């Protein structure tokens, strides 16, 4: 029996289509639009599909920040309010209470240029 947090494991059946669909979003014409869609998709799908045994919300957030920073953008979560809003969003996504459209709207509203 696997216990969360004691062994790294990933569900390839969840992760592989997620990565393939992320690549499809690269076909969007405008660079910033493409990055915003990819960031929202990455944040949503890792959180919702839970491909890792543990740490899915943190992984989703960190990978999203890396993707954005590579393009000169950021999704700040420095203040207590920003951290709580991010936690609430990802927790709601994990439990199916918020969908992709809400994540995309959240990302669009909060992403800033570096």
């Amino acid at each position: 029996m696997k216990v969360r947090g004691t062994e790294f494991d990933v569900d390839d059946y969840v992760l592989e289509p997620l990565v393939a669909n992320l690549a499809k979003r690269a076909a969007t014409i405008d660079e910033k639009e493409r990055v915003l869609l990819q960031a929202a998709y990455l944040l949503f799908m890792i959180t919702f599909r839970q491909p890792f045994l543990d740490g899915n919300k943190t992984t989703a957030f960190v990978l999203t920040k890396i993707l954005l920073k590579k393009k000169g953008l950021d999704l700040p979560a420095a203040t207590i309010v920003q951290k709580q809003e991010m936690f609430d969003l990802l927790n709601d996504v994990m439990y199916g209470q918020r969908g992709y459209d809400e994540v995309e709207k959240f990302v669009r509203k909060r992403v800033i240029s570096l």
Side-chain angles (χ1 to χ4, degrees):
M1 178 178 154
K2 293 181 182 177
V3 178
R4 292 181 71 87
T6 60
E7 180 180 335
F8 180 78
D9 196 12
V10 63
D11 186 342
D12 290 334
Y13 293 107
V14 173
L15 195 57
E16 287 175 13
L18 188 152
V19 172
N21 285 326
L22 183 64
K24 287 180 189 175
R25 293 181 187 282
T28 304
I29 295 169
D30 177 69
E31 176 75 13
K32 185 174 181 181
E33 178 69 10
R34 175 174 55 244
V35 172
L36 290 175
L37 290 174
Q38 288 178 324
Y41 181 79
L42 191 59
L43 192 60
F44 175 78
M45 288 304 290
I46 290 176
T47 302
F48 183 72
R49 296 299 307 267
Q50 300 282 302
F52 305 105
L53 190 60
D54 196 16
N56 289 284
K57 293 187 296 287
T58 301
T59 302
F61 180 66
V62 169
L63 289 176
T64 298
K65 284 187 71 80
I66 290 169
L67 173 71
L68 291 168
K69 284 192 179 199
K70 287 178 83 173
K71 298 300 181 178
L73 303 168
D74 191 23
L75 182 59
T79 69
I80 292 171
V81 171
Q82 290 171 332
K83 288 176 184 176
Q84 188 63 51
E85 289 174 344
M86 182 61 67
F87 176 81
D88 291 345
L89 173 73
L90 297 180
N91 213 42
D92 287 351
V93 166
M94 184 177 73
Y95 289 109
Q97 297 170 342
R98 291 166 95 173
Y100 171 79
D101 291 342
E102 292 173 275
V103 173
E104 184 182 326
K105 189 183 301 183
F106 182 93
V107 167
R108 287 180 185 283
K109 181 178 177 183
R110 288 167 176 81
V111 164
I112 61 169
S113 294
L114 294 175

